[in-house]
Amino acid sequence: MNNFKILKELIKRFQGVRAVLYFAEIIGMGVADGISVVLVSRIIGIITDTAVSKGNLRDTQLVKYIILTIIFKIIIQTLLAVLYNDEAKRTGANMRNTVYGKALSLPMEFYDNHHTGEFMSKLTYDTNMASGVFGSRIRRVMMPVIMVIVCIIPMFVLCPPVTAGLLVLCIISLTLNFVMIPVLEKYSRKISDANKEISKSVTNMLQGMETIRMFPLKKVISDSYNNANENCGKNMKIQGRTEALISALRAAFDLIGALVFLALGILYTTKTGGKLGNLISLYSIYGAFQYNFLLMGVYIPSLSSWLVNAQRVLEFLDTPNENFYGENKENAKDNICQKNSEAHHTVEFKNITFGYAGKNTNIFEDYSAFFDSGKSYALVGESGRGKSTLTKLLLGFYRPKKGCIFIDGTDITELGLVNVRDKIAYIPQEPYLFNCSIKENIRMGKLNASDEEIYNAAKQAGAHDFILELENGYETSAGERGNTLSGGQKQRIAIARAILKDAPVIIFDEATSALDNETEKYINKTVMSVKKDKLILMIAHRPSTIEMADCRFEV
């Protein structure tokens, strides 16, 4: 995808019809700034000619030009700058919200196949660079172009031969800058890749700190980070040298331009007898003209570098979403509400075939199973046989290659995943707790739950007593990933959250593995009390959990 198509797609996705307002504000700022430069040059010309002729400034239009300069430079340009900044910030916020929303809509395969560090790099570095395209990069490209157009007209009016010579010089300078664009794009991609590897190394360090300290992995992790950091630094150094070369060329042409102006200006005044005031006005405009012409050579290559990251963001947004099946069907929600009102619930896997992407063998081949409510089932079998996979298929995290999955006799592709997951409470082996209070973590199971409902759920899960013993009780922060709590405490809070949801199907994925024997017995009693109108699936290895189940189901 070339730069123009990338920019066009960015504008279409994140601005839409508001792009008219955004670009109008930039054009307005550029025109106002250009007119201000011309007005100032005219003021300088009037003062020069008046001084040479020993005239009276009162007889000139000096005051009128000063008033116009104030209007364009201070009032109009400031107002447009405020409006532009508001629009740019709105677009950047819209982009970040869109990217974050996309991250919540991706299928589980995406998270399985992409490192957390790579994922974080897209959400932070690439997104910030892409939003910067609207924050400053487009303006920095357009403003110099507008300024050059506005300035060149009066320059030709004041002195056509000198202006023509200076224009040729500026075009040569701009051409040399454009030659450097592919080089800057190349190293921008390398820097983005290096940042992705740095994010991976940092994520590995933070998530694997215990393992790193238990095994001699400090040097391995450190070397991985250092290599990525060194690679990033090396590419940034080359990019910086390229930009320094562009700056050196700009300075050289700045000097050459001044010399050319002096030579042509002297020749013009001596041969044609032109006014000195016109020549001074021309030089005043030329300063802004040349500066903005050179900025075009700086910011157009720079925009290309930032569009590399924007392309990565667009590719990320083009990743297929999780297939929500029939959630948009008008009768899907009505069907599931009707089914929820029934006391009897069933789950059926019918002739399913499934294997993970990239694996040569399938975990299930034409597999069928039936589960009925009012019973608890212990799913047993050797590790790797597909116990957890079976529950993830039910939750819609993955789709079977063949076959169907039914809840209450209805195919989940007809119900829609939102409705299917509304019927299931899931307690994983390693529950995730959010960095908020324990009360709010439990409330995640039912967002409109009252405090009394939360307390009752905690009591059923055997969590109420230990929560009250904490310094701030239910208002105690769970910390990042629940790191202020023990493994057993986290599991009991997760069980309380599932009980609060009051779903007809409950899945325990080794959810009692971190509990002591007494607490496990308490939870088992809770399971027995709620199973009369629910369907309970328990992935288990502990004999006590298997013995508690009504049915033992070999997977």
Side-chain angles (χ1 to χ4, degrees):
M1 189 183 296
N2 61 40
N3 288 339
F4 178 75
K5 288 184 178 178
I6 295 171
L7 190 57
K8 181 180 177 182
E9 186 65 22
L10 283 175
I11 294 168
K12 178 182 176 182
R13 290 199 186 206
F14 301 111
Q15 288 191 313
V17 294
R18 294 184 69 94
V20 175
L21 179 62
Y22 175 79
F23 285 101
E25 289 159 355
I26 295 176
I27 293 170
M29 286 191 294
V31 171
D33 199 17
I35 292 174
S36 300
V37 169
V38 174
L39 290 170
V40 169
S41 73
R42 186 61 188 142
I43 292 170
I44 294 172
I46 291 172
I47 294 173
T48 302
D49 286 338
T50 304
V52 171
S53 64
K54 297 181 180 180
N56 192 335
L57 287 174
R58 293 178 182 177
D59 299 331
T60 65
Q61 296 181 318
L62 182 63
V63 175
K64 181 181 74 173
Y65 284 115
I66 291 174
I67 293 172
L68 288 172
T69 301
I70 292 172
I71 292 173
F72 279 98
K73 185 68 177 176
I74 298 177
I75 300 175
I76 296 177
Q77 193 172 8
T78 301
L79 177 62
L80 289 171
V82 170
L83 294 173
Y84 160 79
N85 283 323
D86 289 345
E87 191 63 27
K89 295 293 188 295
R90 187 203 66 80
T91 304
N94 181 31
M95 181 181 294
R96 287 188 290 273
N97 288 338
T98 301
V99 172
Y100 188 78
K102 181 68 177 184
L104 294 174
S105 303
L106 294 168
M108 288 301 294
E109 288 94 335
F110 182 90
Y111 303 103
D112 292 340
N113 297 329
H114 293 80
H115 193 280
T116 304
E118 178 186 351
F119 187 62
M120 288 299 298
S121 179
K122 289 187 183 295
L123 289 180
T124 54
Y125 180 74
D126 287 335
T127 302
N128 286 337
M129 293 288 283
S131 63
V133 170
F134 294 103
S136 62
R137 297 296 133 178
I138 292 177
R139 174 180 60 81
R140 290 181 178 180
V141 168
M142 289 185 62
M143 287 278 285
V145 174
I146 297 166
M147 285 285 290
V148 165
I149 294 172
V150 172
C151 289
I152 200 169
I153 297 172
M155 285 176 66
F156 268 111
V157 171
L158 289 170
C159 188
V162 175
T163 300
L166 295 174
L167 182 60
V168 170
L169 188 66
C170 289
I171 291 173
I172 294 172
S173 172
L174 184 63
T175 302
L176 291 175
N177 278 276
F178 280 151
V179 171
M180 307 305 293
I181 289 179
V183 178
L184 291 174
E185 287 182 344
K186 173 184 175 182
Y187 286 100
S188 291
R189 289 190 181 90
K190 289 186 176 183
I191 291 170
S192 180
D193 290 338
N195 270 287
K196 181 171 64 179
E197 294 303 317
I198 289 174
S199 296
K200 286 183 180 180
S201 297
V202 172
T203 304
N204 286 337
M205 178 191 69
L206 295 176
Q207 295 185 348
M209 187 60 71
E210 292 182 356
T211 304
I212 292 170
R213 295 192 176 188
M214 287 297 296
F215 297 92
L217 298 176
K218 182 178 179 180
K219 188 176 185 306
V220 174
I221 297 297
S222 179
D223 287 347
S224 174
Y225 177 85
N226 290 338
N227 290 336
N229 191 39
E230 184 179 340
N231 186 35
C232 182
K234 181 178 70 175
N235 288 304
M236 290 181 73
K237 190 182 295 183
I238 296 173
Q239 187 185 52
R241 288 173 179 173
T242 304
E243 291 174 346
L245 177 59
I246 293 173
S247 297
L249 289 172
R250 185 170 69 246
F253 276 93
D254 191 11
L255 177 60
I256 295 171
L259 295 175
V260 168
F261 175 82
L262 288 174
L264 293 177
I266 292 171
L267 184 64
Y268 169 74
T269 53
T270 56
K271 295 291 185 182
T272 65
K275 288 185 177 181
L276 182 61
N278 285 351
L279 193 62
I280 297 299
S281 294
L282 176 63
Y283 189 73
S284 176
I285 299 175
Y286 172 68
F289 174 82
Q290 183 200 38
Y291 176 73
N292 283 281
F293 215 103
L294 293 174
L295 285 182
M296 290 166 59
V298 173
Y299 289 129
I300 291 176
S302 176
L303 175 63
S304 298
S305 299
W306 289 55
L307 288 176
V308 170
N309 302 96
Q311 183 177 6
R312 292 174 185 263
V313 170
L314 291 174
E315 290 170 352
F316 174 70
L317 293 176
D318 287 337
T319 304
N321 284 343
E322 183 176 45
N323 189 333
F324 287 96
Y325 304 140
E327 65 166 338
N328 293 323
K329 293 185 178 180
E330 293 182 1
N331 63 344
K333 189 70 177 178
D334 294 337
N335 285 346
I336 199 151
C337 288
Q338 182 180 356
K339 296 289 185 179
N340 271 338
S341 64
E342 299 174 3
H344 196 76
H345 300 282
T346 61
V347 169
E348 182 180 7
F349 298 86
K350 190 171 183 180
N351 307 120
I352 63 168
T353 296
F354 175 77
Y356 288 103
K359 302 292 185 181
N360 295 326
T361 57
N362 291 324
I363 298 176
F364 297 111
E365 287 280 0
D366 199 31
Y367 180 83
S368 297
F370 183 85
F371 304 97
D372 206 354
S373 65
K375 296 179 181 179
S376 57
Y377 296 84
L379 305 183
V380 300
E382 298 177 0
S383 296
R385 293 295 298 272
K387 300 184 296 298
S388 295
T389 300
L390 199 66
T391 61
K392 290 176 180 178
L393 287 171
L394 177 60
L395 288 163
F397 291 161
Y398 304 96
R399 296 187 67 177
K401 297 177 181 179
K402 290 195 305 182
C404 300
I405 302 172
F406 299 91
I407 294 181
D408 297 342
T410 305
D411 194 323
I412 64 173
T413 60
E414 295 182 20
L415 292 176
L417 289 184
V418 173
N419 298 324
V420 168
R421 291 168 186 170
D422 191 50
K423 299 191 70 170
I424 301 172
Y426 176 63
I427 306 106
Q429 184 175 1
E430 297 181 6
Y432 184 89
L433 298 187
F434 296 90
N435 192 6
C436 57
S437 70
I438 290 175
K439 181 192 290 185
E440 291 308 309
N441 266 287
I442 297 175
R443 200 192 300 275
M444 298 292 180
K446 182 182 177 183
L447 297 179
N448 62 349
S450 66
D451 288 353
E452 192 62 33
E453 288 177 301
I454 292 172
Y455 301 150
N456 288 335
K459 289 175 182 177
Q460 284 184 280
H464 183 71
D465 291 340
F466 90 77
I467 293 175
L468 293 181
E469 292 174 0
L470 298 174
E471 183 178 357
N472 297 312
Y474 279 85
E475 299 301 327
T476 301
S477 174
E480 185 177 1
R481 301 181 67 88
N483 60 12
T484 63
L485 304 171
S486 69
Q489 289 172 334
K490 286 192 289 186
Q491 284 192 327
R492 277 179 278 177
I493 290 172
I495 292 171
R497 184 163 59 195
I499 291 173
L500 181 65
K501 186 175 182 179
D502 194 27
V505 179
I506 303 178
I507 299 173
F508 289 83
D509 190 350
E510 292 279 7
T512 59
S513 60
L515 301 179
D516 57 74
N517 291 332
E518 289 301 317
T519 305
E520 185 188 16
K521 290 179 182 178
Y522 190 95
I523 296 299
N524 289 345
K525 290 180 182 178
T526 300
V527 171
M528 292 297 103
S529 66
V530 301
K531 76 174 184 179
K532 60 182 179 179
D533 58 348
K534 298 185 185 298
L535 194 165
I536 298 176
L537 300 177
M538 299 182 293
I539 298 173
H541 288 102
R542 293 174 71 165
S544 55
T545 304
I546 298 172
E547 291 172 3
M548 178 195 70
D550 296 318
C551 304
R552 175 186 172 123
F553 201 92
E554 191 81 27
V555 177

